[in-house]
Amino acid sequence: SEIEHNEYIVAGLGPTASFGEVGIDRDDSKRTASVIAVEPCVLMRISAKAYQFCKADMIHDRMELVTSILRNVYYLSHWKSEAIESLARHCDMRSYGENKVIAKEGSELKDVAIVQSGELRVLKKGFDCKTNKPMFLEVQQLTQFDTFGHHALVRNIIRARLEHDAPVPVHHEWGSEDISYDHSFCVKRGVVKAKLLLIRLNDFIRIVLHDGV
């Protein structure tokens, strides 16, 4: 088979890649793209029923892992199971290698992060008093179940409220894009991999801060 005049290439697939999942997950079970072999290939076929069973099992295991992590976060420890599970559906899992910079001081805060495993360094930009050259000082280390990003968010909300309630109110358009990290965060040297749970800022405000209010 060859590409027809109204078709175009959207991706190339190699060893260990898969296709067909999107069609199985559709209500009408229709494929959304054509797949053409460009050389002799050996494929492993998995039935739709077996795929759906494995997927459900993986989702269940992932949900159990994420909820177990969230229950160990100090400001979520009082939450009921239903609320924890609701938040778990909005968590993304990411891995970072040794010495990898996860967030830079002053960059836009997009996620609140929870350490699943590994160790992170918390760095603050400063200046060497002798040479007056910029340098980074380690002010803290984060380990399992520690979080970062939420302090900067809360401080911004408090500042906005104080400015609003001041004798001479300071009016400004405030949005989540105005919030930035007040420290840099990177994986500690010697730690092969750090795993994090990430919660999008808007989801954190809507679900977590709403509980605090």
Side-chain angles (χ1 to χ4, degrees):
S1 181
E2 296 182 352
I3 297 177
E4 298 180 4
H5 72 279
N6 61 340
E7 293 182 320
Y8 54 92
I9 299 172
V10 295
L13 303 177
T16 74
S18 62
F19 60 88
E21 304 95 326
V22 175
I24 292 176
D25 290 335
R26 286 170 57 99
D27 292 335
D28 57 10
S29 298
K30 288 185 178 180
R31 295 187 183 275
T32 58
S34 300
V35 181
I36 301 173
V38 296
E39 63 182 20
C41 298
V42 177
L43 305 180
M44 181 175 70
R45 179 180 176 276
I46 302 174
S47 69
K49 185 177 180 180
Y51 165 78
Q52 290 168 338
F53 179 82
C54 291
K55 181 181 177 181
D57 199 40
M58 290 174 60
I59 291 174
H60 178 266
D61 290 346
R62 181 188 182 281
M63 180 65 73
E64 282 197 338
L65 174 60
V66 174
T67 54
S68 69
I69 296 168
L70 294 177
R71 288 191 182 98
N72 283 281
V73 177
Y74 70 93
Y75 53 80
L76 302 175
S77 59
H78 67 287
W79 279 28
K80 294 181 178 179
S81 295
E82 295 81 4
I84 289 286
E85 291 173 3
S86 176
L87 179 60
R89 296 187 187 96
H90 294 85
C91 291
D92 188 18
M93 305 179 78
R94 298 274 181 86
S95 296
Y96 299 88
E98 178 183 0
N99 219 32
K100 174 69 176 179
V101 176
I102 299 169
K104 292 184 178 180
E105 181 179 346
S107 62
E108 182 184 345
L109 195 157
K110 297 181 178 180
D111 307 277
V112 171
I114 301 168
V115 181
Q116 176 186 342
S117 63
E119 295 180 68
L120 307 182
R121 301 174 67 206
V122 183
L123 306 173
K124 187 71 177 175
K125 191 175 182 179
F127 292 90
D128 188 310
C129 59
K130 294 182 179 180
T131 63
N132 202 35
K133 291 183 178 180
M135 60 182 296
F136 285 93
L137 302 174
E138 182 176 314
V139 296
Q140 189 182 356
Q141 291 189 8
L142 301 180
T143 57
Q144 190 177 39
F145 308 134
D146 286 336
T147 67
F148 64 89
H150 60 300
H151 288 135
L153 170 60
V154 172
R155 274 196 292 272
N156 271 268
I157 292 175
I158 292 174
R159 177 176 57 82
R161 188 68 209 182
L162 290 174
E163 291 179 353
H164 180 270
D165 293 342
V168 180
V170 179
H171 176 75
H172 57 82
E173 295 295 329
W174 181 85
S176 59
E177 67 279 359
D178 299 314
I179 307 172
S180 60
Y181 288 101
D182 47 11
H183 294 83
S184 295
F185 302 86
C186 70
V187 180
K188 186 177 178 180
R189 190 181 300 277
V191 175
V192 177
K193 184 182 293 184
K195 296 182 179 181
L196 305 181
L197 286 187
L198 301 180
I199 307 170
R200 298 295 293 178
L201 190 61
N202 288 335
D203 290 329
F204 189 87
I205 294 172
R206 178 173 56 86
I207 301 173
V208 180
L209 291 190
H210 178 269
D211 176 75
V213 175

